[in-house]
Amino acid sequence: MTALHHIELRRGTYRDSVQLLQVSQAVGVLDGVTGAMVAMGTELNVELITGMGFRVPDDATPGDMVVAIAAVDEATRDAALTALESALAAKTPQATGDSTLPPPRTVGAAVNTAGANLALISTPGRYAFADAVDALDAGASVLVFSDNVPVEQEVALKDLAAARGLLVMGPDCGTAVVGGAGLGFANVVRPGPVGLVAASGTGAQQAMTLLDAAGVGVSHCLGVGGRDLSGVVAGRSTLAALDALDADPATEVILVISKPPADEVASRVRAHASGLSKPVVFGLLGSGRPDLTAVVTEVLGVLGRSAPSPWPRWLPSEEPRDLVAPFAAASGSLRGLYSGGTLCDEAMLIASAALGPIASNIPLEPAWALGADLKADGHAMIDFGDDTLTAGRPHPMIDGTLRLERLATEAADPSCRVVLLDVVLGHGAHPDPAAELAPAIASALVAADRPFDVVIALVGSGGDPQGLERQAAALQGVGARVFSSNAEAAREAVAILNPAEVTE
């Protein structure tokens, strides 16, 4: 049956990419809808929609919203359009301020109208720089959610912010908590004494949710963008964020989290931190450095608190056992299917220390790079949230389709012994990830027809809208081994293959 294609342009209608990814998913899951994409009319999005078989009008611009729906019949199309309107309405912010005034036409005007001191920029990368400059010129710090901002523009933005006594979070800042308000992909965590400076989104989420599990809250989480501790950006926003938290009366201890940083930049940041009035704990991932769970334990120690022992976990067996499972040595490979790049890095660091090289699309060593087809013969971990795999499609924290397909592939591969993956909860993420993942795990465990395990790092808090305990119970119920600590999940996966090499 030929699908009925519906394509339309909504002129001058803008929504940010996260909202439109969620709207696309809400429409795409309807029965009888064979394809759906709702996106701004950027060159890349138009190319992707055209590749789905739609004919996009030639005059589409990045300022237009493109609606593309493929349905089996007119009734399904109409139902999909109704669902589209409902999803868009649910994402529409309520108007505030004087409704008799014309709406502001620029970011700077909006800052001045609202008297705001922080602006969130989520426009296409080519426009984000100008919008961020406009906000800084109006006297507001900025969180740049947008990616694909050239690094030269990032440096210029951060230098401009420094000159004005302001802060730039990002670009590509996916997670922040400011004064208790979560921005981007953020978990619901209690207020408290720990301030975070994070050059990592999912790394920050892991730290905040572990702190929450220990009964300790967060004052602020200032995301600085994944490139901030690179040699080029040189920690510009990290240094500014450290100073801001040092001056913040609600912050008692500061935690700095990053993917593997440039060594010279890490040294500079440590030297700067040594001159602050508050203790600073570092969670800079790298070979021989502590994992994020160990770093959170250190923070708790600074506060005079003890870490949970064990950290929350949900195992298929009702009988308690030690962290390192008493498995017999098993043949086969470890395959990691991650949505968070930092969590993937952490798992690879732990696994490679015991198992040797781990192939990846974000490899720890250049020689360990996977090919473009992502096929692996031995141990491998894939970051499905990498930019090359999210172009024109929802982030895997929103849409797990690619990971579900790969899980089935690994179950059918006799060389795969254990699959390790993350499930990240919180605002912005899939509203019920276990609803689609648990059945897929159950099917994989049956289809494997051999010793085969699934280990999950469940990153979430008790306040998250998905329901941490409900998600954990659903995943545990189909036979997955579920851990709140990604480091402990990685060690569990390694223990299944090689228990003799695993140490606490």
Side-chain angles (χ1 to χ4, degrees):
M1 179 184 297
T2 302
L4 176 66
H5 281 192
H6 174 88
I7 186 82
E8 64 174 289
L9 296 184
R10 302 195 176 187
R11 301 287 186 187
T13 301
Y14 178 80
R15 298 295 179 85
D16 72 58
S17 59
V18 172
Q19 289 184 343
L20 293 183
L21 290 172
Q22 293 170 331
V23 169
S24 297
Q25 184 192 39
V27 175
V29 297
L30 298 176
D31 289 340
V33 174
T34 59
M37 185 169 176
V38 184
M40 300 308 297
T42 63
E43 181 179 350
L44 174 60
N45 288 337
V46 168
E47 180 181 343
L48 292 167
I49 293 170
T50 301
M52 294 169 64
F54 294 90
R55 182 177 177 81
V56 180
D58 294 337
D59 58 348
T61 73
D64 301 327
M65 182 190 295
V66 184
V67 176
I69 299 172
V72 296
D73 53 37
E74 292 184 359
T76 301
R77 176 203 61 195
D78 294 344
L81 290 171
T82 299
L84 169 68
E85 299 304 334
S86 296
L88 287 172
K91 300 294 182 183
T92 301
Q94 297 298 312
T96 60
D98 188 346
S99 60
T100 65
L101 297 176
R105 303 292 294 175
T106 67
V107 176
V111 167
N112 290 325
T113 299
N117 60 11
L118 175 65
L120 192 156
I121 308 297
S122 183
T123 50
R126 70 178 71 179
Y127 308 115
F129 176 75
D131 289 334
V133 168
D134 200 21
L136 292 169
D137 284 342
S141 294
V142 295
L143 186 157
V144 183
F145 187 88
S146 311
D147 58 6
N148 294 314
V149 176
V151 69
E152 297 81 6
Q153 293 183 354
E154 176 175 350
V155 170
L157 281 176
K158 292 180 175 180
D159 285 343
L160 178 62
R164 284 162 168 67
L166 301 170
L167 176 67
V168 171
M169 292 183 275
D172 200 14
C173 175
T175 298
V177 176
V178 180
L183 303 172
F185 295 106
N187 301 93
V188 179
V189 295
R190 69 194 77 202
V194 181
L196 285 82
V197 179
S200 158
T202 53
Q205 289 185 267
Q206 169 75 117
M208 288 190 288
T209 55
L210 290 177
L211 286 168
D212 194 76
V216 173
V218 170
S219 57
H220 307 279
C221 174
L222 305 180
V224 294
R227 296 184 302 205
D228 196 69
L229 292 178
S230 68
V232 176
V233 186
R236 283 169 164 83
S237 284
T238 297
L239 298 176
L242 281 169
D243 290 340
L245 292 176
D246 192 46
D248 174 45
T251 300
E252 297 176 20
V253 59
I254 302 170
L255 171 59
V256 180
I257 292 176
S258 175
K259 302 172 184 178
D263 290 339
E264 69 278 10
V265 179
S267 296
R268 180 185 178 196
V269 171
R270 288 182 186 276
H272 185 86
S274 68
L276 300 181
S277 65
K278 296 175 182 176
V280 180
V281 176
F282 285 90
L284 309 180
L285 291 181
S287 179
R289 294 174 179 155
D291 59 62
L292 295 177
T293 303
V295 169
V296 169
T297 300
E298 182 181 352
V299 171
L300 294 172
V302 172
L303 293 169
R305 303 285 292 268
S306 298
S309 181
W311 289 96
R313 63 181 74 166
W314 301 263
L315 304 177
S317 170
E318 294 183 359
E319 303 208 358
R321 58 180 180 77
D322 292 336
L323 168 64
V324 179
F327 298 109
S331 61
S333 296
L334 166 61
R335 306 284 163 75
L337 312 179
Y338 273 86
S339 63
T342 298
L343 299 178
C344 187
D345 277 335
E346 180 182 50
M348 289 193 294
L349 286 164
I350 291 169
S352 62
L355 303 177
I358 308 290
S360 179
N361 61 327
I362 56 165
L364 298 176
E365 301 287 346
W368 300 356
L370 280 173
D373 60 5
L374 301 181
K375 290 183 178 179
D377 295 325
H379 306 304
M381 296 194 191
I382 300 171
D383 172 19
F384 284 90
D386 185 67
D387 288 348
T388 59
L389 298 181
T390 57
R393 64 178 305 122
H395 191 280
M397 285 166 57
I398 299 172
D399 179 2
T401 301
L402 288 181
R403 290 208 299 169
L404 296 179
E405 293 173 353
R406 186 61 181 245
L407 175 61
T409 298
E410 300 300 352
D413 181 355
S415 72
C416 177
R417 174 62 180 83
V418 57
V419 167
L420 171 65
L421 51 84
D422 62 340
V423 176
V424 183
L425 308 181
H427 292 300
H430 191 291
D432 188 6
E436 62 179 19
L437 183 56
I441 292 172
S443 297
L445 292 173
V446 171
D449 194 29
R450 66 182 187 279
F452 179 74
D453 284 284
V454 176
V455 181
I456 295 175
L458 179 60
V459 179
S461 75
D464 285 335
Q466 296 89 348
L468 174 64
E469 292 292 340
R470 185 171 65 85
Q471 297 294 315
L475 298 168
Q476 175 196 36
V478 296
R481 305 174 183 275
V482 185
F483 294 80
S484 60
S485 160
N486 182 59
E488 290 189 358
R491 290 190 175 92
E492 179 84 348
V494 170
I496 293 172
L497 293 172
N498 196 0
E501 293 294 327
V502 179
T503 59
E504 295 270 355

